Amino acid sequence: MDLKKTKLILASASPSRKMLLERAEIDFEVKVSGVDENVPAEFTPAQTVECLAERKGEAVFKLCPDCTVISADSIVSIDNMILGKPADDEDAKATLRRLSGRTHQIFTGVCLLSGKKKEVFHSVTDVTFYELTDEEIEEYVAMGESRGRAGSYGIEGKGVILVQSICGDYSNIVGLPVAETLRRLKKL
């Protein structure tokens, strides 16, 4: 697939995903699906992100069947538990205490739709946090960056100071494994 000749739609309202595709110099439009994001409780993190990415992509593809659609969903997981977006600052602090000094996983599911072709996959990146003091957690949460973020942090912002190491695709942590997505899209 020639990405220069394809009308590409990003089925996501995520500013981080938009930024990643713009940095890759990809031309695209944004259309948000607004689908229900509830999944069965027994789903693994991988099943959850793949299901939600596919659901979002299919909803937008129905509206734009002549386009190529990229959709994605990301979650943070530790101890096989999915950590959602914090309800408030206290919830964000509790999440960061749980991640402090430990390794967690970022799962991103991606769905690619074009014509009669569909591909769904996921990427996993391990992120290890430094041991965080209560003062560091308080300061970080007070900046407001943890609001609306799965795992209560954003690595592309000030959250980078929390991270000791990563193993895997950095862009996956931000919200879309860009290189893998574009390679798969070209083969689609």
Side-chain angles (χ1 to χ4, degrees):
M1 171 183 299
D2 185 349
L3 297 179
K4 298 284 184 201
K5 296 179 181 176
T6 303
K7 184 169 181 187
L8 197 59
I9 305 290
L10 174 63
S12 174
S14 165
S16 299
R17 290 188 186 107
K18 183 175 181 275
M19 174 206 55
L20 287 168
L21 287 177
E22 287 169 345
R23 284 189 180 166
E25 298 184 1
I26 302 296
D27 291 324
F28 64 96
E29 292 178 26
V30 172
K31 291 200 186 298
V32 182
S33 67
V35 297
D36 174 30
E37 294 195 25
N38 291 312
V39 296
E42 67 273 9
F43 271 22
T44 65
Q47 289 172 313
T48 298
V49 294
E50 285 189 9
C51 173
L52 292 175
E54 187 172 14
R55 194 180 293 165
K56 291 174 182 180
E58 287 177 346
V60 170
F61 192 66
K62 285 179 185 174
L63 304 173
C64 311
D66 296 331
C67 299
T68 297
V69 174
I70 299 173
S71 58
D73 192 79
S74 298
I75 57 117
V76 176
S77 177
I78 191 165
D79 301 328
N80 292 318
M81 186 174 88
I82 294 173
L83 302 178
K85 297 173 183 174
D88 54 30
D89 285 356
E90 290 308 310
D91 191 28
K93 291 173 193 175
T95 296
L96 293 172
R97 281 187 207 98
R98 170 174 264 150
L99 299 177
S100 176
R102 300 186 60 206
T103 300
H104 59 277
Q105 291 72 43
I106 309 294
F107 286 79
T108 300
V110 179
C111 180
L112 308 173
L113 295 148
S114 185
K116 296 188 184 292
K117 297 178 181 176
K118 174 169 70 172
E119 184 170 0
V120 180
F121 65 96
H122 72 274
S123 179
V124 183
T125 304
D126 287 338
V127 180
T128 303
F129 269 20
Y130 283 103
E131 193 72 42
L132 305 174
T133 66
D134 282 341
E135 183 179 326
E136 288 171 315
I137 291 170
E138 290 279 343
E139 286 175 8
Y140 181 72
V141 172
M143 288 187 263
E145 192 173 80
S146 58
R147 293 183 193 119
R149 302 270 189 156
S152 301
Y153 76 98
I155 196 169
E156 71 280 17
K158 292 275 189 181
V160 72
I161 66 173
L162 311 174
V163 177
Q164 182 177 25
S165 65
I166 66 169
C167 182
D169 185 340
Y170 169 81
S171 68
N172 184 58
I173 304 168
V174 179
L176 183 70
V178 176
E180 183 176 6
T181 298
L182 296 180
R183 288 174 182 275
R184 287 177 181 250
L185 200 54
K186 286 178 183 175
K187 291 179 185 177
L188 196 64

